Amino acid sequence: GEEVDSSVIVDSPLAVPLIDIEVMVDERGRISGVCCIELPMQATEVQFRVPEGFRVYEMLLDGQQVQPKAPRRDSPSEVWAVPIRAGFWPHELVFVFVGEFEATTMQGEPVSLAFPSVVGIPVKQVLWTINHPMSRSIRFAGPGDVLNEYESGEIRTNAQTEINDLITTISPA
C-alpha cells in the first residue's frame, strides 16, 4: 500500500490530530475504505464531507453504532453531522465507505482523489493508505509526502501518544 501524508501545522486545542484513511481498490476499480477520525474532546459535533459518488455504510463513535444526520438529497456539499456527548475524553469516529473508479482510471488515466474530510475543525494530519491490485501501480502527484510503513506507523504512534497523554493529564492516577 502507498502511504501519503498531507499535513498542515495547526496548534489549536480544537483540532483533529489525525484522520487515518485506508482504502482497498480491486481490479475492477471498486473502492472500499475505512476512515478513522481522532476527535478533540471539546468537540460537541463533528461534521464531515464525503465526496460525491461515495456511499457511507456503517458509522461508529467510540465503538458504538451511531445514526448520523445525513445530508439532504438536494445539498451538493454532502456534509454529514454526528453529535457528540460532551465529555472529558477524546473521541474516535470510524466509518466505512464505498465507491468506484471509472474504467479509464484503472487503465492509467490520472484521477483527482478526494476522500472524506472534516468540516469546520482544523486537521493536523491526514494519512491515506491505498491498497491496490498487484497488477497495478500508483503514481502520486500532489501536496503531501509518500511514506514507508515505518514513517506512517510513527505518525499513528505519535497521535496515539498525544491522546494518551491527554487522558493521563485529565485523570491523574
Side-chain angles (χ1 to χ4, degrees), residues 25-30 101-109 133 136:
V25 181
D26 74 7
E27 291 283 354
R28 297 217 292 265
R30 287 179 304 208
F101 283 135
E102 299 289 322
T104 51
T105 303
M106 293 311 281
Q107 281 144 26
E109 277 294 307
R136 302 280 193 276

Side-chain angles (χ1 to χ4, degrees), residues 114-127:
F115 281 136
S117 58
V118 170
V119 179
I121 304 178
V123 174
K124 290 185 184 177
Q125 276 183 317
V126 179
L127 204 53

Side-chain angles (χ1 to χ4, degrees), residues 48-84:
F48 61 92
R49 185 172 283 122
V50 176
E52 212 179 317
F54 283 112
R55 294 182 304 285
V56 171
Y57 272 111
E58 193 171 31
M59 198 170 295
L60 303 170
L61 180 67
D62 299 333
Q64 303 288 316
Q65 252 187 320
V66 284
Q67 287 306 313
K69 287 186 275 202
R72 291 201 316 277
R73 283 270 168 262
D74 57 357
S75 116
S77 66
E78 289 292 298
V79 173
W80 297 66
V82 176
I84 299 171

